[in-house]
Amino acid sequence: MKEIYTLADLKNWKKSARHPVRLGVVGDPVAHSLSPQMQDAALAHCRVDIRYGRFHILPNELAEAIRLLAKLEFTGLNLTLPHKIAAPALMEELDDDAKRIRAINTIKFEDNKMRGFNTDAPAFSRAVREEFSVDLRDLRVMILGAGGAARAIALQCAKENCERLVIANGTFEKGKLLVEKLRDFFQGPKVFSPMPRLQAIRWEENAFRFQIANIDLIVNATPVGLRGGDPSPLAARLLAPHLMIYDTIYSGERTPFVSAALEAGARAANGLSMLLHQGALAFEIWFEREAPLEKMRAAIRPPQRSSSPAKTS
Ligand code: NAP
């Protein structure tokens, strides 16, 4: 199978009779995605005779690519960076979460309709419970970013009535806009604290320093750390041992943020658990049957080292 398809490939698509590609992840970049190996394992286990591909599609190609994929009778798609926010406008139906935050990561093509879903939100909650044995409702959470993934994570924190929610984004206005969308979830104090339950902060060292003592969980929902040589989105000197760090990035067991957290004595996990759960929930939307979670987990599990492995959580 070709490793990565482009818009040009879609325009000249040759339908293969055996194991045709009928699902895929659409992104820019997309080479790092582990979704194909995870979904192909699920498809093989469930004896569904189709495959899952990778589609490198630029932002200005998204509408045409989705239209072509629908015409080619694909079952569905996953969307990753940077398409989650542009895609809802192309859908005919959206689930309730997607409607509120205008971000989707899953598409189902059915009865000549394009339907958009957001499985990142519930997947994040399951991932945090699995990694740290805690529930979002007990946590003071700070999210780095206000893009597609951050919106889903923020919505889930709000729906589960977390103690506090702080959004830090480079473009401050976008962080403020996200906070306003979630305001009605945060009426009234939950526990006594002089800090606001919901706020947007600027991406500045002083602003981070001021927050850390009143935060339990920091989530990286930016692409910082995705490319080799990237720094940690927050330096180790800004972190503290009481923190839990969840990096939605999963390229490499120790992402720069996970390394910085461990250096600061904090607990940390990379985004593999969120990838697993968003993928399992997408599989259930496409096929209306339970996803083979453990088969999918095994397909993305990092190889075990022979010497004692470094724990990230
Ligand atoms: P997106 O919609 O493009 O949003 C990107 C966000 O990151 C924006 O808020 C942007 O801030 C911020 N950002 C970009 N470059 C930055 C930099 N150099 N410094 C600080 N902030 C920066 O992307 P997305 O779809 O939300 O994806 C974000 C990340 O989440 C990706 O790395 C993706 O792989 C990961 N993710 C993982 C999973 C999983 O299952 N593990 C699921 C979803 C997403 P501005 O607003 O200022 O531009």
Side-chain angles (χ1 to χ4, degrees):
M1 181 167 77
K2 193 169 163 104
E3 263 302 290
I4 300 180
Y5 300 101
T6 63
L7 183 63
D9 295 318
L10 284 177
K11 286 178 180 169
N12 297 297
W13 194 255
K14 293 202 180 35
K15 285 190 184 174
S16 116
R18 290 192 68 234
H19 313 305
V21 177
R22 286 286 182 277
L23 288 168
V25 56
V26 174
D28 172 30
V30 82
H32 68 282
S33 176
L34 295 181
S35 289
Q37 66 196 62
M38 177 173 74
Q39 296 292 356
D40 278 343
L43 292 167
H45 179 78
C46 297
R47 298 178 194 279
V48 181
D49 199 17
I50 60 175
R51 284 174 303 151
Y52 184 106
R54 270 191 187 87
F55 296 88
H56 188 182
I57 301 295
L58 305 178
N60 63 351
E61 301 172 336
L62 184 68
E64 187 176 6
I66 289 184
R67 192 177 47 73
L68 284 169
L69 287 156
K71 225 168 114 187
L72 291 167
E73 296 177 355
F74 269 57
T75 303
L77 296 172
N78 286 128
L79 298 165
T80 187
L81 183 80
H83 299 314
K84 294 182 183 193
I85 289 178
L90 307 170
M91 298 295 110
E92 281 134 337
E93 273 180 33
L94 293 173
D95 76 1
D96 288 346
D97 283 357
K99 260 186 217 149
R100 185 179 268 266
I101 54 173
R102 303 296 300 175
I104 59 172
N105 73 326
T106 301
I107 296 175
K108 184 174 186 176
F109 300 112
E110 195 179 40
D111 305 331
N112 289 323
K113 259 199 188 147
M114 296 187 207
R115 296 166 62 206
F117 301 82
N118 197 308
T119 68
D120 280 340
F124 173 71
S125 176
R126 292 178 191 194
V128 165
R129 200 171 308 125
E130 206 171 278
E131 298 286 0
F132 303 117
S133 307
V134 287
D135 288 323
L136 291 175
R137 66 167 183 268
D138 298 320
L139 300 179
R140 300 166 298 175
V141 184
M142 176 154 74
I143 300 174
L144 310 179
R151 290 185 192 189
I153 291 166
L155 175 65
Q156 194 65 27
C157 291
K159 280 168 61 173
E160 294 193 29
N161 197 19
C162 69
E163 298 267 4
R164 282 190 78 211
L165 182 61
V166 177
I167 309 290
N169 195 47
T171 311
F172 180 59
E173 293 307 319
K174 269 171 68 180
K176 272 198 352 196
L177 224 70
L178 177 53
V179 157
E180 287 321 313
K181 276 203 184 316
L182 301 174
R183 180 73 64 197
D184 45 327
F185 287 99
F186 289 86
Q187 303 300 340
K190 194 172 172 196
V191 289
F192 177 76
S193 164
M195 305 291 277
R197 279 196 67 204
L198 176 67
Q199 72 181 120
I201 64 166
R202 293 189 188 277
W203 192 282
E204 290 172 357
E205 184 154 335
N206 278 346
F208 288 123
R209 277 192 197 288
F210 186 71
Q211 292 292 336
I212 294 298
N214 291 290
I215 293 293
D216 306 302
L217 171 68
I218 306 182
V219 186
N220 178 28
T222 77
V224 182
L226 198 56
R227 291 180 175 82
D230 272 0
S232 167
L234 293 187
R237 66 173 186 283
L238 290 172
L239 305 176
H242 74 274
L243 290 168
M244 289 168 269
I245 298 296
Y246 192 84
D247 194 348
T248 64
I249 290 173
Y250 55 77
S251 48
E253 199 176 341
R254 284 198 177 183
T255 65
F257 198 29
V258 167
S259 294
L262 297 180
E263 192 185 323
R267 285 185 288 161
N270 73 17
L272 267 186
S273 44
M274 183 170 164
L275 174 82
L276 170 70
H277 288 293
Q278 65 75 33
L281 290 163
F283 186 96
E284 289 172 6
I285 287 169
W286 296 325
F287 299 109
E288 292 173 14
R289 61 184 283 182
E290 198 179 335
L293 193 69
E294 294 315 315
K295 294 284 171 201
M296 297 172 86
R297 192 193 301 277
I300 55 171
R301 189 172 288 143
Q304 294 294 309
R305 297 199 197 98
S306 46
S307 57
S308 55
K311 280 197 89 66
T312 56
S313 58

